[in-house]
Amino acid sequence: MIPTRQFALGTLAASMLLASQAATAEITDNEIRIGYLADMTGAYRDPIGPLGEDAIRMAIEDMGGSVAGAEVVLFSADDRNSPDVGSSVVREWIDERNVDMVTGLVASSVTLASVKLLEEENRLGLVNGAVSSGVTNESCSPNHIHWVYDTWAMSNGTASAITQEGNTDWYLLSADYSFGHALERDVTRVVEENGGSIVGSTRHPFPSSDFSSFMLQAQASGADVIALNNAGSDTINAIRTAGQFGITQAGQILAGMVLFSTDIRSLGQEIAQGLQFTTAWFYDLDEEARAWAERFRERTGSMPTQVHAGLYSSTLHYLQAIDAIGNDEAQAVRQQMAATPIDDMFASGGYIREDGRMVHDMYLVEVKSPEEAVDEDDLFRLVRTIPADEAFRPLDQSDCHLVQNGDT
């Protein structure tokens, strides 16, 4: 089997040929048009939302505002976590504004609807917010790249670590849509592979404000671990409800499968301390990450989340690819992006596989106690780095039709 990294670098020669052929091609409309589609007002507003636009604009500004002589134009819209609304916006952007690339793409249901349109019209999608691993598995396409994280990686880090510590009986509380279903499936796989079992499960509407009945069911199950297969305000509300019922004080473990720094701030370190979860990035990762985070805070008044960092990184890599080949045609740009390693404040040695998955290190972190924190931004302790080639679904387990014979 050819290593995935070798595949990515192996496309370099083809990409260079493509670039030479396209070097004289003009940018369509003499503008590079980007659409940012995200939840601006709902459950994912705080961890992604309006501030994601600032992260994209930072990347545009760092390229000088224009690429290959063409101005970069950014549109944004609220998808309201509705596949119908999201796909309608993308359709309007393609038909009326000739958008070249759509990014953000937060709720998995919105993302799956949107990327179908992007493939039909040969536009590029950079998926940063959606978590479902199906985005680059059964729903992969040559027209989108999944950048930040996915359910396979999030569950692989957190669920394996907790189960290996002897906490083998799990109860699953999942958001009732494609993201929650994918996370439920991936957590089940990891728990069972590590000798654990699922003793009960339930699904809650998305979004939900009242988790009382769900948490009482989880408490009554007697499970060692209650997995929260949700995100954003749903996760915050579930953790707060668990605190009101004294669930963790009685000895059950809460495992947040998708958590953001904004969630920890909302909960407060007193409540969140000790929570372990997997993240794609955090701002104290290294000096380069912290420096970029300080730039972001100076601009927005808030420290960035992992998705804000991913939006910057993916947009910058996209624009650099266009700059290298002088062309904004989707397949040419994707080829150039795949041929170029990602080395920036988000990832070191990252690379894009043929299934569209951007592969990079992931991190298991633990929330510090208020006593341990040196300031209000000192939230996490690094428990373990999960190497890139272990973090994401192996290609020999892929159902993506772009992967030759299930592997490379």
Side-chain angles (χ1 to χ4, degrees):
M1 184 172 74
I2 302 171
T4 53
R5 184 182 300 275
Q6 185 176 336
F7 169 85
L9 296 178
T11 62
L12 182 58
S15 180
M16 289 175 65
L17 176 61
L18 204 63
S20 66
Q21 293 172 341
T24 58
E26 293 183 357
I27 303 295
T28 52
D29 305 310
N30 201 35
E31 290 182 340
I32 299 163
R33 298 177 179 177
I34 298 173
Y36 173 52
L37 183 67
D39 173 13
M40 302 293 193
T41 55
Y44 305 135
R45 181 188 188 281
D46 289 343
I48 305 170
L51 295 188
E53 185 173 342
D54 287 279
I56 296 167
R57 289 196 182 280
M58 286 173 68
I60 295 170
E61 291 165 9
D62 285 351
M63 291 294 292
S66 64
V67 176
E71 181 183 0
V72 183
V73 179
L74 178 63
F75 306 102
S76 65
D78 185 354
D79 62 31
R80 289 183 278 170
N81 285 317
S82 165
D84 289 340
V85 171
S87 55
S88 176
V89 169
V90 173
R91 171 54 67 193
E92 189 271 337
W93 278 347
I94 293 172
D95 291 346
E96 303 298 329
R97 306 191 189 192
N98 204 17
V99 160
D100 301 295
M101 184 270 279
V102 176
T103 188
L105 298 169
V106 180
S108 297
S109 55
V110 175
T111 299
L112 294 174
S114 299
V115 296
K116 288 180 181 178
L117 286 175
L118 295 173
E119 183 178 12
E120 289 171 7
E121 300 295 337
N122 193 33
R123 308 303 165 95
L124 198 61
L126 299 183
V127 181
N128 283 276
V131 197
S132 173
S133 60
V135 169
T136 51
N137 194 39
E138 65 271 16
S139 298
C140 71
S141 87
N143 288 79
H144 68 268
I145 298 168
H146 204 176
W147 204 264
V148 177
Y149 45 29
D150 63 32
T151 52
W152 203 100
M154 302 298 259
S155 59
N156 195 51
T158 307
S160 60
I162 294 175
T163 307
Q164 288 169 14
E165 289 173 3
N167 305 295
T168 56
D169 292 343
W170 286 64
Y171 187 94
L172 309 183
L173 177 58
S174 309
D176 193 10
Y177 76 107
S178 55
F179 151 61
H181 302 169
L183 197 47
E184 182 180 85
R185 180 177 62 247
D186 286 335
V187 170
T188 298
R189 171 189 54 80
V190 173
V191 169
E192 292 178 347
E193 285 178 354
N194 284 277
S197 60
I198 308 302
V199 300
S201 65
T202 191
R203 293 173 174 177
H204 67 82
F206 167 74
S208 292
S209 57
D210 185 359
F211 279 83
S212 299
S213 63
F214 302 118
M215 296 311 298
L216 286 172
Q217 291 177 54
Q219 186 178 42
S221 73
D224 300 321
V225 186
I226 302 170
L228 304 178
N229 298 325
N230 48 25
S233 61
D234 282 339
T235 300
I236 293 172
N237 290 334
I239 293 174
R240 284 179 174 157
T241 303
Q244 293 167 6
F245 292 157
I247 287 176
T248 56
Q249 293 90 326
Q252 288 177 295
I253 296 170
L254 278 184
M257 290 297 117
V258 181
L259 282 166
F260 300 92
S261 54
T262 48
D263 300 333
I264 305 307
R265 293 182 187 282
S266 180
L267 289 165
Q269 282 183 269
E270 187 67 39
I271 294 175
Q273 62 182 306
L275 276 172
Q276 288 191 4
F277 64 97
T278 303
T279 185
W281 181 90
F282 59 106
Y283 46 74
D284 278 330
L285 181 60
D286 54 36
E287 290 183 2
E288 188 177 5
R290 185 67 187 220
W292 182 83
E294 293 293 350
R295 282 180 56 204
F296 185 90
R297 177 165 60 179
E298 183 177 350
R299 181 189 188 104
T300 67
S302 300
M303 292 297 273
T305 66
Q306 57 184 317
V307 176
H308 295 147
L311 285 164
Y312 173 88
S313 172
S314 58
T315 303
L316 188 68
H317 197 66
Y318 168 76
L319 295 175
Q320 288 171 339
I322 294 175
D323 193 43
I325 65 175
N327 183 6
D328 62 356
E329 192 275 325
Q331 296 307 312
V333 175
R334 188 186 193 278
Q335 186 105 354
Q336 178 65 24
M337 291 176 72
T340 309
I342 296 91
D343 286 298
D344 57 17
M345 37 58 73
F346 180 80
S348 176
Y351 58 97
I352 298 166
R353 299 191 312 201
E354 59 265 51
D355 61 350
R357 175 68 258 171
M358 199 281 268
V359 179
H360 53 84
D361 292 347
M362 296 285 289
Y363 308 94
L364 182 67
V365 298
E366 182 177 273
V367 180
K368 291 183 177 180
S369 69
E371 294 73 27
E372 293 175 286
V374 297
D375 58 41
E376 63 179 7
D377 294 323
D378 187 21
L379 299 179
F380 309 122
R381 174 192 305 104
L382 177 63
V383 176
R384 176 167 87 90
T385 297
I386 305 168
D389 290 337
E390 297 176 15
F392 296 94
R393 184 197 312 274
L395 280 179
D396 61 9
Q397 297 178 23
S398 176
D399 293 324
C400 172
H401 67 277
L402 300 173
V403 178
Q404 298 297 315
N405 300 317
D407 59 19
T408 56

